[in-house]
Amino acid sequence: MNVQVTTPRYEIRAQHTASTVTVYQAYSPAIGLPAVRDGRFPAAWKRDRMTWVKPSFLWMMYRCGWGTKEGQEVVLAVEVERAGLAWALEHAELSHYVRDVHEDEATWKRSLRAAPARVQWDPERDMDVNPLPYRSLQLGLAGEAARRYADEWTVSIRDVTPLAREVHGLLRAGLRDRAADLLPAETPVDLPAPRPTRA
């Protein structure tokens, strides 16, 4: 008997170990290359600004154009402590007001201003970066969460730009199976569940 497995609409999927979770970001060479070289974000990385991390490799490829967009030429795989990511999710607020979730819009706005992290659910992407019918997590980190991400939670930083270019090249050549074989294995992660939107 064949049982069809349906991906839940809201689910955190990532490459992960027992103690770490990998998220993706893309930067200019001025930020990305020193981060890879030193294994930590350089002083030029602004710890007082919100930064968005994405556990989905293909969503990152959609966002950065496979590392071709200006200012996003260096694609980073950032391995972070699972406990740190859990802390961020536990202290996060949804990035958008949702009537069925929040008491009222004013309460949501107050909570959003105070929260060090923001949760946003965007359509997951396939290899052609087309939207899929289920969502992928984006996590915005600000204030304390951004500082802790950069200076405490980061375990390693790898440059996956060559991987992005190789996968993209294989797709453009029509070698989809070979491209798929290179994609990071992203499976559900047991983390505190952020509140989903109804969008």
Side-chain angles (χ1 to χ4, degrees):
M1 179 176 168
N2 291 333
V3 177
Q4 187 171 6
V5 177
T6 303
T7 301
R9 184 166 169 80
Y10 301 102
E11 179 181 61
I12 302 173
R13 296 169 302 279
Q15 191 171 26
H16 57 96
T17 69
S19 59
T20 65
V21 178
T22 297
V23 296
Y24 297 94
Q25 296 192 287
Y27 289 101
S28 68
I31 297 292
L33 296 179
V36 172
R37 181 192 66 220
D38 300 333
R40 65 186 308 269
F41 289 100
W45 191 89
K46 299 190 184 311
R47 286 152 172 81
D48 57 347
R49 290 178 55 185
M50 178 164 286
T51 190
W52 290 87
V53 301
K54 304 148 190 75
S56 167
F57 179 80
L58 286 174
W59 205 97
M60 185 73 255
M61 295 306 99
Y62 161 72
R63 180 68 179 84
C64 72
W66 300 92
T68 63
K69 291 185 179 178
E70 185 177 355
Q72 300 184 59
E73 301 92 342
V74 181
V75 185
L76 304 179
V78 184
E79 194 178 16
V80 297
E81 293 177 358
R82 183 186 288 249
L85 199 59
W87 182 93
L89 289 166
E90 288 167 350
H91 292 83
E93 179 55 89
L94 290 174
S95 62
H96 297 92
Y97 168 69
V98 180
R99 184 175 307 175
D100 294 343
V101 173
H102 300 102
E103 181 180 337
D104 55 54
E105 194 165 357
T107 303
W108 164 75
K109 285 182 179 177
R110 283 194 300 275
S111 178
L112 187 66
R113 281 193 295 272
R118 293 182 183 186
V119 164
Q120 185 166 306
W121 293 100
D122 292 306
E124 180 60 284
R125 300 286 161 164
D126 64 16
M127 288 196 299
D128 301 307
V129 297
N130 294 316
L132 292 168
Y134 50 90
R135 301 286 169 143
S136 180
L137 173 73
Q138 273 201 84
L139 184 63
L141 305 172
E144 180 183 1
R147 292 189 296 273
R148 293 179 72 177
Y149 167 69
D151 300 322
E152 297 175 25
W153 302 339
T154 297
V155 174
S156 70
I157 301 176
R158 293 180 292 114
D159 184 353
V160 291
T161 314
L163 173 64
R165 291 180 180 155
E166 184 176 4
V167 171
H168 192 214
L170 290 169
L171 288 171
R172 291 174 69 185
L175 302 172
R176 301 180 65 79
D177 289 344
R178 284 177 56 188
D181 287 343
L182 295 177
L183 294 176
E186 295 169 358
T187 57
V189 188
D190 183 19
L191 283 167
R195 292 181 296 183
T197 66
R198 297 282 191 261

